Amino acid sequence: MRKILVAGNWKMNGDSAANSELIGGIISGLSGIADSAAKPDVLVCPPFPYLAAVREQIAGSDVQLGAQNVSEHPSGAHTGETSPAMLQEMGCTYALVGHSERRALYGETSEQVAAKFAAALAAGITPVLCVGETLQQREAGNTEAVINEQLAAVLDNSGIGAIASAVIAYEPVWAIGTGMTATPDQAQDVHRFIRVVLEAQDADVAAGVQILYGGSVKGDNAAGLFGMPDIDGGLIGGASLKAADFLAIVEAAATL
Ligand code: 13P
């Protein structure tokens, strides 16, 4: 049975006071949700400057810490970048790789994303590999080809075995920050496709890997999405910035 993971991607939002209030609210809200097999795992990915402060605040709670990006390089002349070892030292157990905003706004290629994926894993960090198609690609009937190419870069570089130590997030670009959520059936179709691609190489890995959905997940649509057979939680943007909104999603998951 795959556990549900609810992950908050705070993107480039907040400040010390707001982030402290946000994580404080999440921790106290979580403690009010009864422990059960259905209680999801919870992850937050704050902006880099706040990792240390959030790490201190989550100490002793069940909340895990993740980074929004990671360098593919171990050290050296890479101004502005953060190495996997640095993130590991700062208490990050997860790192997003290949978020569509990184791909679209910062020109990250699938090969670079694959290198980041491998570098994170080598440092003991669980990569959350983000994949997803644009509206134009969907309308042209290319959704599966796009996802396949994004997955193939990682599979070719790290091998199917590495997927057992990773998380995949399907985030259709057209659903990110638009309020236009994929329907549970639309999301399920792509999640199933991802699992089938992996299955062709290793059925056990395919059956075990968590595949999250991201794109305008809210408290009122989370249960419908997470209730689908191949959807194992969510990667949440906008609704992760208010404790009550984020907790509503966690609570929806806990009822499944
Ligand atoms: P929204 O939940 O704001 O659509 O963002 C999704 C996302 O990009 C999470 O990584």
Side-chain angles (χ1 to χ4, degrees):
M1 231 324 247
R2 295 181 300 267
K3 190 124 194 243
I4 297 272
L5 173 63
V6 178
N9 173 10
W10 296 359
K11 307 192 180 182
M12 196 172 72
N13 290 296
D15 55 24
S16 292
N19 291 342
S20 169
E21 188 185 326
L22 173 57
I23 192 62
I26 290 171
I27 292 166
S28 77
L30 277 180
S31 65
I33 301 175
D35 281 330
S36 74
K39 190 168 177 179
D41 289 335
V42 173
L43 165 68
V44 294
C45 302
F48 285 112
Y50 305 107
L51 286 173
V54 173
R55 178 195 199 178
E56 264 184 44
Q57 263 185 285
I58 62 174
S61 79
D62 290 333
V63 179
Q64 303 203 65
L65 189 64
Q68 297 175 16
N69 184 24
V70 59
S71 173
E72 65 271 42
H73 303 290
S75 66
H78 297 283
T79 302
E81 293 291 305
T82 309
S83 74
M86 291 171 185
L87 294 177
Q88 202 270 341
E89 192 185 16
M90 292 314 295
C92 291
T93 48
Y94 290 83
L96 307 185
V97 298
H99 190 281
S100 62
E101 288 150 19
R102 302 286 328 162
R103 294 180 193 257
L105 304 176
Y106 300 97
E108 286 187 10
T109 62
S110 289
E111 288 63 40
Q112 196 180 359
V113 172
K116 287 171 181 255
F117 181 101
L121 259 189
I125 293 173
T126 303
V128 179
L129 171 65
C130 304
V131 297
E133 82 287 2
T134 63
L135 186 59
Q136 201 185 16
Q137 289 165 333
R138 171 166 283 260
E139 285 175 345
N142 290 333
T143 299
E144 293 189 351
V146 169
I147 307 285
N148 197 41
E149 182 274 331
Q150 291 169 340
L151 287 175
V154 170
L155 289 168
D156 290 350
N157 191 51
S158 291
I160 183 72
I163 302 292
S165 308
V167 172
I168 296 173
Y170 168 57
E171 298 205 301
V173 177
W174 49 272
I176 294 178
T178 58
M180 218 164 80
T181 321
T183 65
D185 284 332
Q186 279 176 321
Q188 165 61 24
D189 283 351
V190 179
H191 283 233
R192 184 70 220 146
F193 172 74
I194 292 170
R195 231 179 271 287
V196 166
V197 168
L198 302 176
E199 235 162 48
Q201 297 198 22
D202 189 314
D204 289 340
V205 170
V209 66
Q210 286 171 312
I211 308 179
L212 313 183
Y213 167 78
S216 300
V217 178
K218 310 273 181 258
D220 59 6
N221 60 26
L225 288 158
F226 302 171
M228 300 307 279
D230 289 295
I231 302 182
D232 309 311
L235 182 54
I236 323 296
S240 73
L241 298 176
K242 283 202 182 122
D245 294 348
F246 189 65
L247 288 163
I249 295 168
V250 176
E251 275 162 18
T255 60
L256 294 173

